[in-house]
Amino acid sequence: MTQQNPRRLHLNAFLMSVGHHEAAWRLPQSDPLAHTDVEHYRNLARIAERGKLDSLFLADSPVQFGDPGRRPSGQLEPTVLLTALAGATSRIGLIATASTSYNEPYNLARRFASLDHVSGGRAGWNIVTTAGADAARNFGLDDSPLHRDRYERAAEFLEVSTRLWDSWADDAIVGDKERGVHAESGRVFATGHAGKYFRVDGPLNVPRSPQGYPLLVQAGSSESGRDFAARYAEAVFTAQQTFEEGKSFYEDLKSRAKALGRDPEGLKILPGIVPAIGATRAEALELEAELERLILPEYAKQQLAALLRVAPEQLELDAELPDDLPTEDEIEGAKSRFTLIVELGRRERLTVRQLIARLGGGRGHRTFAGTPVQVADTIQHWFESGAADGFNIMPPVLPSGLEAFVDQVVPILQERGLFRTDYTGRTLRDHYGLPRPQNQFTTA
Ligand SMILES: Cc1cc2nc3c(=O)[nH]c(=O)nc-3n(C[C@H](O)[C@H](O)[C@H](O)COP(=O)(O)O)c2cc1C
């Protein structure tokens, strides 16, 4: 029976090519060219909106990731693609990833303000610092800046960006034809920033956007990542393998936000889940097994070796992880993902082949095979037991996995009173129940 729950679940659709499973493109039904086909993404966006999901999200890195010979890996720039999706939808939020290490605040703030205008207040920014030397080498550097320095730059980047977005008062534009005054110039402010990484005079050349500025999303889980999220993020995506880890991450992040004087409710935490959905559990497991059979083990081993910072020859497919792996403090890339993978391998005593299979579905995100009711049950359990405010849905195969989630799992969550049956607001912040940010220049 329908029961009204005081808290509402938040759901984000993480869209990636023809699915999050690395072998999804090899299934008979998958279109190997879909990852650059705007029609494929329009279809996915409409499916997600049909399910009344809060938002959809595109990951990104300014680098050719992986071996292009082995999987569809080239990808369209997210803010460009989301601009097209804004025209194909009317309510769902649109979250793009962009790097603070390889952009300048003025360009990026302008791009997100524009997306927020074009979409009528539905833009979100997944703020990443970008791990890896490969990306650095596309920007005139020999190696990636240190982890700590990347987060320091990210913090200053955010400070500058919010000043740019606030550089126009909400009421600056008056459009007074009689007086010949388009905007009250006293209501447009210089940004006046000079810091360690940036000097930006401002103002921005885009007036304040419907949401004030895009929803700020973050996805790093290291110490620096958590501190950054606690200070700036309004939503956090995270990879958590077990309920216990998810709960401890949730509690830690909420208490960090509280310690900074923030309302912990103003920061929504969404762990990822890769749901393989079947009419029976056996059917869901068969879908997982089918995908697993299509993994190219030698290629996957190389990818794993790169993540673990070891030579591929150090890993044997049918042996457990070697003892002499680096430790997290030696990792300058994605620290928390490194630790998650090593702990998963060691905790469950997986061989490299088994670990590869577990990572194939979601690169470290929790995979879950089950019926629609079982998927709804696990979501409800995490949500009601203080481990999540919602979920980042990462279908292993697209579009079929998103269709299954929207048409079979969402109705169960709605019936249980956990999820909206229709949109009540217009902006992305409305969907997440978050306030529109005040303008720092006009609120004394
Ligand atoms: C759901 C999710 C999506 C992510 N998307 C991206 C992305 O698009 N680009 C990127 O560079 N990093 C992405 N990351 C990685 C994080 O931004 C971060 O680099 C990683 O979690 C390691 O952070 P840490 O070094 O603070 O632990 C994502 C992480 C998660 C959990």
Side-chain angles (χ1 to χ4, degrees):
M1 210 43 252
T2 307
Q3 227 190 340
Q4 214 51 34
N5 198 299
R7 263 171 89 224
R8 284 298 178 99
L9 191 63
H10 299 286
L11 296 173
N12 172 74
F14 183 169
L15 306 182
M16 181 172 278
S17 179
V18 288
H20 281 269
H21 197 285
E22 68 168 52
W25 71 278
R26 298 185 69 204
L27 288 172
Q29 75 262 33
S30 293
D31 172 3
L33 302 180
H35 65 305
T36 51
D37 177 4
V38 68
E39 213 37 67
H40 169 68
Y41 291 98
R42 283 199 188 106
N43 179 39
L44 296 176
R46 290 186 184 120
I47 295 167
E49 191 166 69
R50 182 170 89 216
K52 316 296 178 198
L53 268 54
D54 295 65
S55 48
L56 57 85
F57 158 63
L58 300 172
D60 195 52
S61 197
V63 66
Q64 166 56 46
F65 178 74
D67 176 354
R70 290 304 186 182
R71 61 174 296 192
S73 57
Q75 60 188 55
L76 302 175
E77 196 285 320
T79 56
V80 171
L81 182 50
L82 291 185
T83 304
L85 301 189
T89 54
S90 61
R91 302 299 275 273
I92 193 163
L94 307 163
I95 303 174
T97 299
S99 172
T100 53
S101 299
Y102 305 114
N103 279 296
E104 284 284 321
Y106 199 93
N107 290 343
L108 203 59
R110 183 184 187 201
R111 216 181 315 146
F112 276 104
S114 302
L115 181 61
D116 204 45
H117 277 288
V118 167
S119 63
R122 295 188 283 140
W125 173 21
N126 177 38
I127 306 155
V128 299
T129 60
T130 309
D134 294 355
R137 286 197 282 268
N138 291 333
F139 295 88
L141 302 174
D142 292 329
D143 204 349
S144 161
L146 293 177
H147 190 267
R148 181 188 56 230
D149 296 345
R150 293 204 308 273
Y151 273 105
E152 186 184 66
R153 177 181 159 110
E156 192 181 323
F157 201 116
L158 251 285
E159 299 292 342
V160 182
S161 300
T162 55
R163 289 175 78 78
L164 285 165
W165 290 318
D166 286 347
S167 61
W168 290 64
D170 284 305
D171 58 2
I173 298 181
V174 290
D176 189 334
K177 295 182 183 173
E178 284 292 306
R179 285 194 296 142
V181 176
H182 190 264
E184 302 285 1
S185 41
R187 306 290 285 162
V188 182
F189 312 101
T191 316
H193 175 87
K196 178 168 171 186
Y197 294 93
F198 308 109
R199 214 205 88 192
V200 183
D201 286 357
L204 194 64
N205 57 355
V206 182
R208 205 159 191 264
S209 68
Q211 290 190 105
Y213 46 81
L215 180 81
L216 303 178
V217 183
Q218 208 267 345
S221 293
S222 63
E223 276 299 305
S224 319
R226 290 179 194 214
D227 282 341
F228 183 89
R231 189 171 296 278
Y232 300 105
E234 298 169 281
V236 167
F237 295 146
T238 181
Q240 301 293 332
Q241 278 287 325
T242 65
F243 172 77
E244 290 69 31
E245 286 163 354
K247 192 165 163 59
S248 127
F249 177 81
Y250 185 93
E251 286 166 359
D252 178 68
L253 207 52
K254 294 274 179 172
S255 62
R256 284 181 202 234
K258 211 168 163 188
L260 290 167
R262 290 184 61 189
D263 173 6
E265 280 298 302
L267 186 156
K268 307 293 183 195
I269 299 176
L270 285 80
I273 184 169
V274 185
I277 301 168
T280 59
R281 181 156 152 81
E283 208 177 274
L285 287 171
E286 178 44 37
L287 170 63
E288 275 197 337
E290 185 185 7
L291 286 163
E292 207 174 305
R293 284 193 291 273
L294 294 173
I295 290 179
L296 302 163
E298 282 303 325
Y299 166 65
K301 191 178 95 167
Q302 276 175 24
Q303 299 293 110
L304 179 62
L307 253 166
L308 299 178
R309 294 279 180 273
V310 296
E313 308 77 66
Q314 273 181 269
L315 302 179
E316 280 179 50
L317 279 171
D318 294 306
E320 288 180 35
L321 288 176
D323 291 331
D324 53 344
L325 291 175
T327 56
E328 182 174 304
D329 28 295
E330 294 171 81
I331 298 292
E332 284 298 336
K335 284 180 184 279
S336 58
R337 195 62 62 87
F338 166 86
T339 302
L340 180 149
I341 292 169
V342 175
E343 283 180 357
L344 172 65
R346 298 243 153 94
R347 183 175 60 241
E348 303 193 19
R349 308 208 54 187
L350 302 174
T351 62
V352 167
R353 193 186 296 278
Q354 289 166 327
L355 184 58
I356 282 169
R358 289 287 286 279
L359 297 176
R363 306 171 305 283
H365 284 268
R366 188 166 74 109
T367 53
F368 184 92
T371 63
V373 168
Q374 288 168 332
V375 174
D377 285 348
T378 187
I379 287 177
Q380 180 167 8
H381 172 55
W382 282 52
F383 177 62
E384 290 184 341
S385 312
D389 294 311
F391 273 87
N392 195 12
I393 308 302
M394 305 171 54
V397 185
L398 287 166
S400 60
L402 186 61
E403 278 171 331
F405 186 84
V406 159
D407 296 333
Q408 297 169 39
V409 181
V410 166
I412 298 171
L413 298 170
Q414 289 169 329
E415 172 65 18
R416 295 179 184 177
L418 295 165
F419 191 60
R420 71 174 69 82
T421 51
D422 204 352
Y423 293 107
T424 50
R426 294 230 67 101
T427 70
L428 174 54
R429 277 205 177 75
D430 290 340
H431 304 337
Y432 279 94
L434 295 165
R436 185 174 188 271
Q438 293 188 326
N439 188 318
Q440 61 194 291
F441 294 115
T442 57
T443 46

